[in-house]
Every structure is written in structure tokens, then in C-alpha cells.
């Protein structure tokens, strides 16, 4: 079979027939090729590139491992978005391994074949969603069959997806893109096979991982896997493992190598009681020092981190970039921490600030006021839920809030605030044209007793009063929600305008 001839005959047949739907032809061609694996493999050399995706899809679905293996070697595009196919075809253990084996054979060749195009094996499930549909039996694909120059989705997408443009030097490594989630029970069989291949083809196969999540997994196993990941490819890291501080210390050197990290979430780090202060200090230093190497960090989330108290200045002094998001939640902070935060955080880019679950009850409101004031030109989202902020403190920050011209969302549920101060807040923020959502706590007046039983009728009245004020002041569209934890189950209950009750909440 001659590729050109095959294409010409396809072309003339399409031009002649307006009916039936073209995809059927591709399917038929694919099926007949797959039935004769040997001739299919022989035909790959001359198969037009347009026919690769539909044939590959059919081979993947039908689990034709041999042909998959050979197709990977002859793949005529820079990127093979295998993840999108694996999402649809379960299980795929055998076919996945076949594809990797194909890559392995390709990499084993001393001199790369002339037609070698493959640069990226993309295993991410949500990347290149449209590649297979565009190339497989849709009208767009038919169009490309007639006008091969016109539709080249990979070329257009390359920059967006981080595949580097331009020709690569002859022995540039093939990149395998994957989003990793390390948790109990991983690595699974597929990942283990991939890890093995990457280890075997050291330097020729680069495991790149934009998003990395680490839940429960022993640190030794994590370190083993990180050893073969290109750490500078990681942009988004979530660590939520209930680690001891010393374990974080062991992890720290890896963090420092993630020089392109943009988002870091760290949750649940606790100090064990029998650690010496010196050891503790050493681990904290080891961790904070890594921030000096994160030159692209934009978002930092620290949740339930037990060592922050009186050490926030140390973290802040190591930050090299202005953050867009800073969220410190469920942590103990001292007043001096808050003062450092208000003075030393570079707020030039700060859009989201979250301090929910940080107890501010006995603190001076001045630092918070300074921080909000300094960030008022950029701040879009402010979260002060469950901070124990009282009327007197809240009153101090109101003027600063009123200057946050970019603010869209403000949430401060779970704070003991009276109706008078809520009304005051409404007046201070009514002119903020971008503010669309305010989540406020049930005002003090709506509680029946100190145990937190809500008088729902009174709450509805107070809510109606705020609604009426919004109306009168010309902002009827601004949404004010009251959200409170249900005293029985702790789930958050919303009120707008009538309470949306938790099923378990049955007032006497
Ligand atoms: C961390 O994991 C726990 C469950 O293990 C979850 O409840 C919590 O929301 C997670 N924290 C973050 C910040 O994702
Ligand atoms: C904050 O960061 C910006 C951008 O890096 C920089 O230009 C500015 O000088 C910094 N501001 C302070 C107070 O360090
Ligand atoms: C907040 O701290 C004060 C003392 O500083 C304490 O009395 C109060 O119980 C704390 N609130 C919470 C919710 O832990």
C-alpha cells in the first residue's frame, strides 16, 4: 500500500460522496487494519498521519497490544495524549504497558529513526481532551484529511500545554507528563511500571509532574518516587499527611528543588512533645530556608501548622516573591506574628487573604487593620471565619475594609458580632462596586442563650433588615448570606432569606 495513494483514494471518495457520514469509513479502515495486525504494522511506515489517531484509538479500545507498541514508535505527532484515552478505557493496564514498551524500544535505539516525532507522552487525564475527537472520525478530521495543512491541533496547542516548540537536539529526552497523587495504596501497578521504565532509561525519559498531591504515604516511599521526578517541573504541590515536624524536615530538601513551584499547600504538621527545642529549631529552619529557592511562588496555604507561633517572621523573611494568595488557617499565631505579617508581607500582588480559624480574640486589631489597609488596592477575597473577632476589633478594621476597591467576597462567619456593627459594615462597604458576596455570622441578638441556640424568627427579622438596607442604599443585588455552624452537627447552615436548616436541627 502506498500512503499517498491511500490518501488520494480516500480523498476522491469523500469528494464524490456527500453521504454517508464519513467517520464510518475511517472506522471500517481501522477495523480492517486491526484484523490483520501484520499488514497493519507493515502499513504504518506509509500510513498518512491523519489515520494514526483513529487507528490508535481503535487499537487501544480493542487491546491490540502489539500494534499499539509499534504505533508508539512510529507516532507522527510531537505529543501522544495517552491520558485522555486511558480515562475513557478502563481497565487499561495491559494497553498502557504496551504503549510504554513501545516508547522503551524507541528510546533503546542508538540512532533515532528519521520520522521520530514523539517528544511528549502526556498521561494527564484532563489534557488534550479534544485531540482524539478532533482527529478521530469527526468532521474536523475529515477536513484535515482533505486539507492536511489546515488542522494541526498539536501545533496550535503546544505552547499552551508547555511542550517546547522548535526542533529538539537529536537525543533530547522524551517527557512523560503526569499528575501524581501519592496516597496509601500507591504506586499502583501502572505507576510502578512507569517508574521502572523511567529508572531503566535514566536521562532519556523525564518524568514531569505539574501537579503533585501527597496524602498518607511513608516518607521513604515518597523520597524514592521524588528521586525520579523532575522536581523543577512541579508547579502545584499539596502535602496533607499529618506529619511530624521532623518528617517535614526530611522532605524539605525536595521542596527546595521545586524551583518552579507556584502553589504550595501544607496541612497538618505537628510537633511531637519529646523533640528537643534545638532539634525543633533545626527542622523549622530547614523548612523555611527552602522558600529562598522558590522564585515563582504565588499561592501559599498553611493549614494546621503547629510550629508557626512566634515564627511567622522567619517564614516571611524567606519569601522571595510577592504572593497572590496567603492563607493561614487553623494555626496559633501570636500578636507579634500578626504585626510582622502586617509590616513585612509584600502585598503588592495580594488578592486572597485567609486567616480563618486563627484566634484573634485577645489581640489588638491594629495589625489586621494595617494589613488590610496596605492590601486594599488589590485584595479581592478576604476570609476571616472563626477568628473570634469581636465588635470592638471589627469596628477598628471597618474603614480599611471600606477602601478595598477590588473586594468581591468577604466572609467572617463564626465571629461574635452585633447587629449594630453589621449595619455599620454594610454602610462602610456599600460603595465597593465589585463586592458581590458577604457571608456574615448570625448577629449576637439572634441567639437565645450562651450555648448558641439560635432564635430563627429573630434571625430572619435581622436578615430582612439588612436586605432592606441594601435595597435603600441602592445595592439590592449584593448578596448577604448568614452562615452558621449547626449547633448539633457542626455543618454550616445558610440563611437566605429563610434559614435553610440542617436536617438534624429541630429547635424545641
Ligand atoms: C487534609 O486532609 C483531611 C482529611 O485527611 C481533610 O479533611 C482536610 O480538608 C485536608 N486539608 C486540606 C487543607 O486540604
Ligand atoms: C514587592 O514585590 C515587588 C515585585 O517583586 C517589588 O517591586 C517591590 O519592591 C516589593 N515591595 C517591597 C516593599 O519589598
Ligand atoms: C481564643 O483565645 C482566648 C484566649 O486568648 C480563649 O479564651 C478562647 O477560648 C479562644 N477561642 C477559641 C475558639 O479557641
Amino acid at each position: 500500500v502506498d500512503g499517498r495513494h491511500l490518501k488520494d483514494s480516500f480523498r476522491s471518495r469523500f469528494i464524490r460522496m456527500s453521504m454517508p457520514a464519513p467517520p464510518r469509513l475511517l472506522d471500517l479502515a481501522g477495523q480492517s487494519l486491526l484484523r490483520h495486525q501484520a499488514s497493519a504494522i507493515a502499513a504504518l511506515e506509509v500510513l498518512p498521519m491523519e489515520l494514526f489517531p483513529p487507528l490508535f484509538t481503535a487499537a487501544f479500545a480493542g487491546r491490540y497490544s502489539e500494534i499499539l507498541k509499534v504505533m508508539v514508535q512510529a507516532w507522527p505527532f510531537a505529543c501522544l495524549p495517552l491520558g485522555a484515552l486511558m480515562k475513557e478505557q478502563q481497565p487499561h493496564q495491559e494497553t498502557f504497558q504496551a504503549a510504554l514498551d513501545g516508547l522503551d524500544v524507541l528510546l533503546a535505539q542508538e540512532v533515532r529513526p528519521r520520522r521520530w516525532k514523539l517528544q511528549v507522552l502526556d498521561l494527564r487525564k484532563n489534557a488534550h481532551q479534544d485531540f482524539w475527537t478532533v482527529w478521530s472520525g469527526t468532521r474536523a478530521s475529515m477536513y484535515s484529511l482533505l486539507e492536511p495543512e489546515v488542522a494541526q491541533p498539536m501545533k496550535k496547542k503546544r505552547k499552551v500545554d508547555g511542550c517546547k516548540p522548535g526542533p529538539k537536539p537529536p537525543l533530547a529526552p522524551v517527557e512523560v507528563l503526569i499528575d501524581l497523587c501519592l496516597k496509601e495504596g500507591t504506586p499502583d501497578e501502572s505507576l510502578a511500571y512507569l517508574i521502572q521504565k523511567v529508572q531503566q532509561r535514566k536521562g532519556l525519559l523525564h518524568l514531569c509532574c505539574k501537579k503533585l498531591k501527597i496524602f498518607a504515604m511513608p516518607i521513604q516511599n515518597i523520597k524514592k518516587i521524588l528521586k525520579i521526578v523532575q522536581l523543577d517541573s512541579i508547579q502545584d504541590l499539596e502535602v496533607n499527611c499529618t506529619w511530624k515536624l521532623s518528617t517535614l524536615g526530611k522532605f524539605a530538601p525536595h521542596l527546595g528543588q521545586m524551583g518552579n513551584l507556584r502553589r504550595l499547600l501544607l496541612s497538618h504538621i505537628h510537633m511531637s512533645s519529646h523533640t528537643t527545642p534545638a532539634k525543633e529549631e533545626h527542622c523549622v529552619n530547614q523548612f523555611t530556608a527552602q522558600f529562598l529557592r522558590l522564585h515563582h511562588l504565588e499561592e501559599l496555604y498553611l493549614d494546621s501548622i503547629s510550629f508557626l507561633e512566634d515564627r511567622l517572621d522567619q517564614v516571611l523573611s524567606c519569601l522571595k516573591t510577592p504572593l497572590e494568595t496567603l492563607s493561614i488557617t487553623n494555626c496559633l499565631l501570636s500578636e507579634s506574628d500578626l504585626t510582622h505579617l502586617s509590616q513585612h508581607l509584600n502585598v503588592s500582588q495580594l488578592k486572597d487573604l485567609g486567616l480563618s480559624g486563627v484566634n484573634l480574640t485577645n489581640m489588638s486589631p491594629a495589625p489586621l487593620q494595617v494589613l488590610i489597609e496596605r492590601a486594599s488596592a488589590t485584595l479581592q477575597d478576604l476570609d476571616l471565619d472563626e477568628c473570634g473577632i469581636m465588635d470592638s476589633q471589627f469596628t477598628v478594621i471597618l474603614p480599611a475594609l471600606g477602601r478595598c476597591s477590588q473586594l468581591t467576597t468577604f466572609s467572617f462567619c463564626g465571629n461574635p458580632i452585633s447587629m449594630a456593627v453589621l449595619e455599620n459594615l454594610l454602610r462602610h462597604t456599600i460603595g465597593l462596586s465589585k463586592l458581590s458576596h458577604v457571608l456574615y455570622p448570625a448577629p449576637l441578638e439572634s441567639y437565645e442563650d450562651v450555648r448558641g441556640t439560635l432564635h430563627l424568627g429573630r434571625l430572619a427579622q435581622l436578615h430582612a433588615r439588612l436586605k432592606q438596607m441594601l435595597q435603600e442604599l441602592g445595592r439590592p443585588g449584593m448578596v448577604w448570606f448568614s452562615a452558621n455552624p449547626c449547633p448539633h452537627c457542626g455543618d454550616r447552615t445558610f440563611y437566605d432569606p429563610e434559614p435553610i436548616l440542617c436536617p438534624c436541627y429541630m429547635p424545641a
Side-chain angles (χ1 to χ4, degrees), residues 243-251 270 272 275 279 283 286:
W243 275 347
K244 285 186 292 198
L245 181 54
S246 56
T247 310
L248 180 65
K250 286 186 194 132
F251 178 77
H270 57 93
S272 67
T275 308
K279 175 99 197 297
C283 291
Q286 208 174 9

Side-chain angles (χ1 to χ4, degrees), residues 200-243:
Q200 285 166 356
R201 295 277 165 231
K202 232 177 244 146
L204 290 179
L205 205 50
H206 276 181
L207 195 56
C208 299
C209 175
K210 246 189 212 174
K211 285 190 187 167
L212 173 62
K213 290 187 187 187
I214 306 177
F215 295 105
M217 182 189 257
I219 184 76
Q220 300 87 328
N221 300 6
I222 293 170
K223 287 172 89 77
K224 259 184 224 152
I225 292 177
L226 291 187
K227 221 182 228 170
I228 60 150
V229 173
Q230 302 291 312
L231 294 180
D232 60 358
S233 67
I234 298 173
Q235 296 182 11
D236 186 331
L237 172 67
E238 291 189 11
V239 181
N240 184 356
C241 294
T242 320
W243 275 347

